[in-house]
Amino acid sequence: MRAIYIFLGPPGAGKGTQAKKFSADQGIAHISTGDMLRASMQAGTEQGNQIKAIVDSGNLVSDDVVIDLIRDRISKADCENGFLLDGFPRTVPQAQALKQLLLESDEKLASAILFEVDEIELLARLSGRRDAEQRADDAEETQRKRIDVYHAQTAPLIAYYSEIGKLKRIDSNGTVEEVYEKLREVI
Ligand code: AMP
């Protein structure tokens, strides 16, 4: 039985950092749809350029595109012990598609972990990342957009996973180490 986790939360909540540590400690694959999309953007193909325009605007790439990426990715050998989904699902249709994929392989989600951060702290972290990583989608005007998109399209997943008894909440306001300690306590 593979260990399957979802990390949920707004952009800048620290999901990616925690996901790297957690997946390495657990010996499971870290799957970030954001990283996968950035890789295809760099390839400079026509599809990559279309994706770049959407990502840079702060909007979400279409469900079909990311569902195809995930279907393919979770069948790879490094997912043998399990995998952690960082940034997927981001919409209810994506969550339904994941449910279907897991049903087909007779598998179950272990939990969906929600990283919660105060909005002021969130904006400060995104500015810090913009300076450090030069990500175009962390530009100031795009930050607000990404947070709005999170509230409109991704936040409904909180109720979705809560209703099926899979949601675990983590206060993600502290340091990386403090948040990781809380994560270990809830898992
Ligand atoms: P992230 O690195 O997770 O913050 O993702 C960066 C950007 O990639 C997002 O703002 C979206 O434009 C796109 N993206 C990543 N994951 C998804 C997803 N599951 N569904 C749609 N778009 C996504």
Side-chain angles (χ1 to χ4, degrees):
M1 197 68 170
R2 298 192 293 182
I4 303 168
Y5 297 95
I6 292 171
F7 277 16
L8 267 178
K15 294 186 301 292
T17 309
Q18 297 294 329
K20 280 193 192 87
K21 270 173 89 78
F22 185 76
S23 55
D25 283 356
Q26 302 282 318
I28 60 176
H30 172 204
I31 302 179
S32 157
T33 39
D35 284 350
M36 293 172 83
L37 292 168
R38 279 185 286 278
S40 73
M41 280 153 56
Q42 271 167 7
T45 59
E46 193 180 336
Q47 195 197 22
N49 292 339
Q50 284 166 0
I51 288 171
K52 183 171 170 27
I54 298 168
V55 170
D56 286 355
S57 73
N59 286 298
L60 295 183
V61 173
S62 78
D63 289 335
D64 290 352
V65 168
V66 286
I67 291 165
D68 282 351
L69 283 177
I70 288 293
R71 182 184 295 113
D72 188 53
R73 182 68 186 82
I74 66 177
S75 67
K76 297 277 191 272
D78 67 332
C79 296
E80 195 179 61
N81 296 329
F83 53 89
L84 186 175
L85 297 171
D86 164 15
F88 179 95
R90 248 176 164 99
T91 64
V92 171
Q94 289 179 22
Q96 288 164 339
L98 176 64
K99 183 182 169 193
Q100 191 55 38
L101 284 173
L102 297 184
L103 263 178
E104 284 164 16
S105 53
D106 205 14
E107 293 182 290
K108 280 203 175 78
L109 178 68
S111 49
I113 298 138
L114 172 66
F115 293 83
E116 298 181 287
V117 191
D118 298 338
E119 194 128 324
I120 293 174
E121 171 69 15
L122 209 62
L123 290 168
R125 288 185 190 185
L126 286 171
S127 309
R129 188 163 78 186
R130 183 175 64 228
D131 297 343
E133 295 179 18
Q134 312 259 307
R135 270 176 56 169
D137 63 335
D138 279 338
E140 210 158 342
E141 64 275 22
T142 320
Q143 286 175 5
R144 187 72 250 169
K145 175 73 184 167
R146 295 178 74 220
I147 292 171
D148 290 347
V149 166
Y150 171 78
H151 287 303
Q153 302 196 57
T154 308
L157 295 180
I158 299 171
Y160 180 95
Y161 287 112
S162 178
E163 277 160 21
I164 56 170
K166 294 290 186 188
L167 189 77
K168 293 186 197 294
R169 291 171 184 268
I170 292 189
D171 172 1
S172 192
N173 283 293
T175 63
V176 171
E177 289 71 26
E178 284 164 354
V179 176
Y180 195 66
E181 202 42 51
K182 291 182 211 166
L183 175 61
R184 289 168 52 97
E185 280 165 21
V186 304
I187 295 288

